[in-house]
Amino acid sequence: MEFSDLIRTGRAQAKLLRGPEAPPLRGTLCLTGHHLLLSPGPQATSELWLLLLRSVDSIEKRVASDSGTITLRCKDLRVLQLEIEGVEASLDIARSIEALSSLESVITSFPFFYRPKGLRLGDAWHFHPPERYYKRVARETNAWRLSEVNEDFSVCPSYPRAVIVPRSVDDGALARSARFRQGGRFPVLSYHHAPSGTVLVRSSQPLTGPQKRRCAEDEELLRAVLAGARPGARGFIVDTRSSQAAKQARMTGGGTEAKTAYPGWKRLHRPLERGQPLQESFVRLVEACGDPQQSTDSWLRRLEGCCWLAHVKEALSTACLAAQGMEREGACILVHGAEGTDSTLLVTSLAQLILDPLSRTMAGFQELVEREWIQAGHPFQLRCAHSAFSHARPKHEAPTFLLFLDCVWQLGRQFPLSLEFGEGLLLALFEHAYASPFGTFLCNSEKERCLCEVRTRTHSLWSGLNQPKEQRKLRNPLYAPNPLAIWPSVELQSLRLWQGLFLRWIRPPEPSEVAWEKVWQIVTDKEKTKLSQPTVSASEPQL
């Protein structure tokens, strides 16, 4: 089907209302296969307004005698209103937006057509391969190797081609272990903590079932994890399900690691919400933030009732538990829930931010997101199909990645000097995860990206974000490298609503945001002063 077949009316006169802080725009509204454009006309001082249709989450339409109003609720939480001349034109444009914003085909999405100036196809896709992180691990220990057992994605369709595994376990044993784990997600290295010589490993649940099946190769793999750490190391299995949920999973073919089969490992249950309950929490929070007429009591009651900050607290608490086990108790940590593609990745990535100074740099954080979320098989296309406004609520949607970004924001607020990146990068990742001109967050796994040729036919988000003109918006001007672990306070009194995301389209900038921009200006002026000062040669006397 051609895009033109879905465009009933391509042009109309309209007025755009963008919120309380932005003046309205009047002009010609145009609809293309991927964008909604509003041209103010040759006499106007404002620039062309552009909206990626993929970012539309829901549409509401109302008609009057000779005009219509379309309300667009976007995935980045903006609410836009279009007042369009002509009833028929209004309805046609609304239906066209509904059709074009919900196309499911990956290869017809905008990233396959986006060709920005200054970027070349293929740039930055090579920035964060598994081999790069393995080189770092290899410098710290020889107990691990890079395996290509999954080169054709036949062992685990949601893993990348190469994974880091214990050196003493051969590929045949890995394949047999994969058959014992849900979705083939056998235990692989997530992070090596050099100071303690321990490791963070992730997987999916074992398929023990009601018969309490065992797998010798899976047991061998986890023994090798402990053997590759420091002598006498023990391990903790952090299960992100409740003990009751794990028991129920066993009745349907899943389960947990039996104590007798995995000596040296102790299981801890730290239930984290996922799926529909997490999505509902997100929706209720956005609804509460968008109601300007409510009383203070009502606002506080709704904020508590949505439980979003409670989810943030539990995620950070579980990550701290995993990090503490490695840093302070010298234990190896295996994290898994059921599938191992959601709360598992949330815990492993946050634990690394707490422990690893390199993960808190701009490049290191990008690598962490690429390695622990994108390459690790978080199903972005399923989880981020809609945001908080859609009336459709499929079971597979959940804002797990947004919860991760919120936890990172909490870390940055409590440790304002320890992260090289600022809120701007987190907001950009939120927006691009839900709707993006880049191909980085497309599909649900590396296998799907290979089938769709994403790496050769689309641009990488990292190449766009690492352009010099973008760095000012993304970097933390106060950053000072911190070689120590950062231990956040996870008490609810210490956690804050992320106003920069949930309220950014609703209220004017806060004094803290204005101050932040002034800090940037001071840092920039200081750098310009340094560059403008003449350098003193070695032969000249210095006072």
Side-chain angles (χ1 to χ4, degrees):
M1 178 181 291
E2 298 290 333
F3 291 127
S4 57
D5 297 335
L6 301 175
I7 301 176
R8 297 166 178 256
T9 296
R11 182 174 299 190
Q13 295 302 306
K15 180 172 76 171
L16 171 68
L17 304 177
R18 297 175 290 173
E21 298 302 317
L25 286 178
R26 296 178 183 271
T28 303
L29 185 71
C30 299
L31 192 62
T32 72
H34 295 111
H35 288 94
L36 193 64
L37 304 91
L38 185 71
S39 176
Q43 307 301 322
T45 57
S46 55
E47 298 180 352
L48 179 75
W49 177 83
L50 189 71
L51 177 72
L52 184 64
L53 289 175
R54 192 69 184 174
S55 66
V56 175
D57 205 28
S58 71
I59 303 173
E60 297 175 9
K61 45 188 180 289
R62 299 193 312 273
V63 294
S65 57
D66 59 350
S67 65
T69 300
I70 299 175
T71 301
L72 302 176
R73 300 183 186 277
C74 301
K75 294 176 182 177
D76 63 0
L77 308 185
R78 277 183 295 175
V79 178
L80 307 170
Q81 191 167 299
L82 289 165
E83 296 178 357
I84 301 174
E85 297 179 6
V87 174
E88 187 175 347
S90 300
L91 294 175
D92 284 346
I93 288 175
R95 294 188 188 106
S96 300
I97 294 173
E98 286 176 335
L100 291 167
S101 63
S102 58
L103 291 175
E104 295 184 358
S105 171
V106 173
I107 60 174
T108 60
S109 60
F110 184 58
F112 285 85
F113 300 86
Y114 183 51
R115 297 295 179 265
K117 291 182 179 179
L119 298 182
R120 294 181 304 172
L121 285 175
D123 283 355
W125 281 112
H126 62 282
F127 276 10
H128 312 295
E131 293 82 359
R132 176 171 174 169
Y133 183 66
Y134 172 68
K135 289 180 181 177
R136 175 182 165 186
V137 174
R139 289 194 297 267
E140 299 168 348
T141 176
N142 64 354
W144 297 80
R145 67 182 180 91
L146 193 69
S147 169
E148 295 185 351
V149 65
N150 198 43
E151 185 176 13
D152 58 357
F153 304 107
S154 61
V155 173
C156 177
S158 62
Y159 271 174
R161 295 181 188 273
V163 291
I164 306 174
V165 298
R167 185 174 297 277
S168 60
V169 180
D170 61 36
D171 285 353
L174 295 177
R176 287 186 286 276
S177 172
R179 290 194 288 270
F180 184 66
R181 295 276 173 173
Q182 181 168 339
R185 295 178 68 88
F186 57 93
V188 298
L189 180 74
S190 179
Y191 169 61
H192 177 258
H193 188 49
S196 65
T198 57
V199 292
L200 182 64
V201 182
R202 51 176 161 78
S203 71
S204 60
Q205 67 174 338
L207 302 178
T208 54
Q211 290 79 30
K212 299 183 179 180
R213 290 188 295 268
R214 295 178 59 173
C215 175
E217 290 79 11
D218 193 77
E219 296 167 15
E220 174 194 351
L221 203 165
L222 288 188
R223 281 197 302 271
V225 169
L226 296 181
R230 61 182 183 81
R234 56 178 177 154
F236 291 104
I237 299 171
V238 178
D239 194 325
T240 61
R241 305 166 294 178
S242 66
S243 57
Q244 184 62 32
K247 289 177 182 177
Q248 291 174 350
R250 192 174 68 192
M251 302 309 296
T252 57
T256 58
E257 294 81 358
K259 294 180 181 179
T260 55
Y262 297 88
W265 291 91
K266 180 181 179 181
R267 188 171 68 252
L268 304 172
H269 289 279
R270 291 296 183 272
L272 297 179
E273 205 64 82
R274 50 186 168 271
Q276 278 191 309
L278 190 60
Q279 180 72 12
E280 289 297 328
S281 174
F282 176 39
V283 170
R284 291 199 303 272
L285 175 58
V286 172
E287 288 175 348
C289 291
D291 183 358
Q293 305 301 325
Q294 62 191 325
S295 65
T296 301
D297 288 344
S298 174
W299 158 248
L300 294 175
R301 187 167 56 251
R302 293 175 74 179
L303 180 62
E304 181 184 12
C306 75
C307 299
W308 181 260
L309 288 178
H311 297 320
V312 172
K313 169 185 168 64
E314 292 304 320
L316 284 171
S317 298
T318 306
C320 285
L321 175 71
Q324 186 175 15
M326 300 175 69
E327 169 91 350
R328 298 180 177 175
E329 299 188 31
C332 296
I333 306 292
L334 167 64
V335 183
H336 72 67
E339 299 89 352
T341 57
D342 291 281
S343 55
T344 297
L345 308 182
L346 175 65
V347 173
T348 58
S349 51
L350 287 175
Q352 290 178 65
L353 271 173
I354 291 170
L355 293 175
D356 183 19
L358 288 178
S359 294
R360 303 194 289 265
T361 65
M362 177 69 77
F365 185 70
Q366 292 179 12
E367 179 183 323
L368 181 71
V369 171
E370 179 75 32
R371 176 167 46 84
E372 287 297 295
W373 287 90
I374 298 167
Q375 294 175 10
H378 181 65
F380 280 97
Q381 188 128 354
L382 289 174
R383 299 292 185 265
C384 301
H386 294 101
S387 183
F389 296 122
S390 175
H391 301 299
R393 305 279 172 81
K395 291 183 178 180
H396 54 69
E397 292 179 2
T400 313
F401 186 64
L402 171 58
L403 180 60
F404 163 70
L405 296 176
D406 198 329
C407 291
V408 177
W409 179 82
Q410 303 287 344
L411 286 172
R413 194 188 68 80
Q414 294 190 26
F415 299 92
L417 309 184
S418 294
L419 306 184
E420 189 180 15
F421 51 90
E423 182 182 60
L425 178 60
L426 303 179
L427 292 173
L429 291 176
F430 164 67
E431 292 175 0
H432 285 282
Y434 281 88
S436 176
F438 298 95
T440 299
F441 290 107
L442 286 179
C443 303
N444 298 304
S445 64
E446 285 295 287
K447 179 181 180 180
E448 291 184 13
R449 292 183 196 99
C450 287
L451 291 173
C452 295
E453 300 178 305
V454 169
R455 291 182 178 272
T456 56
R457 296 178 57 192
T458 72
H459 288 282
S460 167
L461 173 62
W462 311 126
S463 63
L465 295 184
N466 289 326
Q467 295 295 303
K469 64 180 180 179
E470 295 292 322
Q471 288 297 292
R472 175 187 168 87
K473 295 182 290 185
L474 306 179
R475 289 187 179 274
N476 175 6
L478 301 178
Y479 172 65
N482 178 2
L484 304 176
I486 54 175
W487 299 102
S489 170
V490 297
E491 296 303 319
L492 282 176
Q493 298 92 325
S494 302
L495 303 178
R496 297 289 184 271
L497 176 70
W498 185 5
Q499 297 185 37
L501 186 144
F502 294 108
L503 299 177
R504 65 172 169 157
W505 308 114
I506 299 170
R507 49 92 176 128
E510 286 197 328
S512 59
E513 296 173 19
V514 177
W516 191 257
E517 188 59 34
K518 289 184 177 180
V519 169
W520 252 122
Q521 190 61 50
I522 292 171
V523 172
T524 304
D525 292 344
K526 188 175 181 180
E527 290 176 348
K528 288 180 180 178
T529 302
K530 284 184 178 179
L531 292 173
S532 64
Q533 290 178 345
T535 57
V536 180
S537 65
S539 59
E540 292 178 341
Q542 299 184 29
L543 299 178

